Amino acid sequence: MSDPISIATLFSQLDLDPDRVIPGTYSGMSGWLISKGAAELEVRNPATGTRIATIATTTPEHYERLLEESRAAFDSWRLLPAPKRGQAIRLIGDALRQHKDALGSLISLEVGKIKAEGDGEVQEMIDMADFALGQSRMLYGLTLHSERPFHRMYEQWHPLGVVGIATAFNFPVAVFAWNAFLALVCGDVTVWKPSPKASLAAIAVQKIVTRVLENNGFPQVSGLFVTMDHRLAEHFYADSRINLLSFTGSTAIGTRVAEIAAKRLGRCLLELGGNNAIVVDRSADLDLAVPAIVFGAVGTAGQRCTTTRRLIVEASIADALSERLVRAYRQVRIGNPLDPRTLMGPLIDAHAVERYAAVVRELQSLGARILYGGRVLDGPGYFVEPTLVRAEASWSLIQEETFAPILYVLTYSDFEEALALHNSVPQGLSSSIFTAQLVHAEAFLSARGSDCGIANVNIGTSGAEIGGAFGGEKATGGGRESGSDAWKNYMRRQTNTINFSHELPLAQGIRFDLETGADKIP
């Protein structure tokens, strides 16, 4: 796809025009909006640094139109039966299947993921559409037993309103699907703010969604706006017309988002940073552990929230495992993410490279033993070496999430020490243990074990399936998206009680007698 003709064909397939400024605002009633006063965002290929498109960002006036039209669309969409809303998502999933190859390539071009990961992200959207279709017939409430005679009590779930979705560059479209497909079957309308580092793929997906809804007689219930202006972004977070704000990004920015939303008592769903660890004991099958560790540390060039950043190894096998990892790292092919032989693409931009280099410099100042890597690669693009470091748990760096392919190797003597090391960081997203010992596996999954939202045995930290609720604890934000009962985030719960007697008993046995006369209404 590095050939200009191939890129032109790709853009044509996705209804994008690289030779014109691409509108970065979509509103259901007004369509794609662009104004002469809009700031322009250049989209560059991180593998080459070359411009691949220009996007017109959203003006405050167009944002206001988007929000007002989204509120109006909600009034009708929430009345459409949920199974019919599910059919809309089914058709979107079918369209994504048709465009999977092109979308996967566009993701690789825009954010530097290898082609297999780009395609995998689109497949995740397709899987989410299938899941949401089934969920549209399973928005269950409970029947409850009243303590009062001749009373029926139950709960039901109603659409919430407008769901704002702010996504990060590392998963430019899949996280949108986690949120939007569930929100839409729940009767909500969505407003999407993609990262300015990954807006082109978002626009391509929005075009697919728009076309499917229009061609099949559904209202336009999914809007999008692109901005580089932090003031407009913060206005979005503070907007009381947003009934739920789902934010994916760093812990630092997520904390700010939560503060802004809290001032209006807004509901937030936060998916923030991870500092994920794999524990390996001496009973572990290293043939399983090594590829899981390498993929977890190197996949997406270390720019996943579920990236493996710490390796906590029983001291007796640390040297042997480190040697195997060095051999595996030497096999990691770095380069053009659209080349099927490539295993690791570039970092997202120059700032990410500088952050990687700064951490390596700090490690060197600490006297760290760098087992592999540590270099910024010469040439075009934002390429670095995957880096493996023998580290000390006391280093403050261990507490931080470096969004780059740097893996710290820590050692332990007994299993209680391993658990303490694992849980010693502020973040709590994903975790894993490799072991053949049942007691270690069960302890890791117990209340005294991993304090993360995701805990695995004999698989890595990265690559969660959509059927389970995704999210983490502590500084990761506590949000849950995707599977299980995550759909409840996008609805409001209502408890209902029906009295079908001629008496008015109060709960808890309270008596409140009034003389109301002898006559009773039948």
Side-chain angles (χ1 to χ4, degrees), residues 171-184:
F171 279 88
V173 295
V175 173
F176 164 74
W178 289 1
N179 287 274
F181 292 175
L182 286 180
L184 290 170

Side-chain angles (χ1 to χ4, degrees), residues 347 352-358 360-361 373-379 381-385 387:
L347 295 178
V353 173
E354 177 50 38
R355 174 60 181 155
Y356 165 90
V360 171
R361 289 194 297 269
R375 294 188 305 128
V376 175
L377 301 181
D378 294 331
Y382 307 117
F383 292 96
V384 301
E385 286 184 320
T387 302

Side-chain angles (χ1 to χ4, degrees), residues 278-289 293 311-321 324 410-418 433-441 458:
I278 293 178
V279 176
V280 183
D281 72 17
R282 65 175 179 269
S283 74
D285 181 344
L286 297 187
D287 289 337
L288 280 180
I293 294 164
L311 185 61
I312 302 170
V313 189
E314 194 163 352
S316 62
I317 64 165
D319 289 341
L321 179 55
R324 291 186 63 159
L410 309 169
T411 61
Y412 71 91
S413 299
D414 63 75
F415 190 65
E416 293 302 320
E417 182 187 3
I433 183 171
F434 278 82
T435 181
Q437 298 188 57
L438 178 65
V439 291
H440 284 177
N458 292 331

Side-chain angles (χ1 to χ4, degrees), residues 3 64 66 78 85 100 116 130 137 141 164 176 182 194 196 199 214 223 229 236 241 307 316 337 356 472:
D3 181 78
E64 286 301 314
L66 168 61
R78 62 180 167 177
R85 300 192 295 254
K100 177 180 174 179
D130 291 346
R137 294 182 179 270
F176 164 74
L182 286 180
S199 297
E214 180 180 0
D229 185 350
F236 175 56
R241 294 168 293 185
T307 290
S316 62
Y356 165 90

Side-chain angles (χ1 to χ4, degrees), residues 96-175:
L96 291 170
R97 284 182 174 87
Q98 296 170 14
H99 292 88
K100 177 180 174 179
D101 180 63
L103 277 173
S105 296
L106 182 63
I107 291 167
S108 291
L109 274 175
E110 185 176 25
V111 302
K113 283 188 174 185
I114 63 173
K115 181 65 162 74
E117 290 188 272
D119 289 349
E121 183 164 352
V122 183
Q123 185 61 49
E124 199 163 341
M125 299 182 77
I126 295 165
D127 293 344
M128 198 65 217
D130 291 346
F131 183 90
L133 170 62
Q135 193 69 69
S136 69
R137 294 182 179 270
M138 297 186 295
L139 304 177
Y140 297 140
L142 297 175
T143 297
L144 309 170
H145 289 275
S146 174
E147 66 185 62
R148 292 169 284 186
F150 304 108
H151 283 59
R152 182 164 73 89
M153 190 162 66
Y154 64 97
E155 67 179 26
Q156 60 181 332
W157 296 83
H158 293 304
L160 191 59
V162 177
V163 173
I165 304 169
T167 55
F169 77 85
N170 57 336
F171 279 88
V173 295
V175 173

Side-chain angles (χ1 to χ4, degrees), residues 420-457:
L421 280 173
H422 179 277
N423 294 342
S424 65
V425 297
Q427 308 84 357
L429 180 52
S430 187
S431 60
S432 178
I433 183 171
F434 278 82
T435 181
Q437 298 188 57
L438 178 65
V439 291
H440 284 177
E442 290 293 341
F444 189 74
L445 302 180
S446 72
R448 71 182 182 92
S450 168
D451 61 2
C452 294
I454 299 168
N456 300 324
V457 175

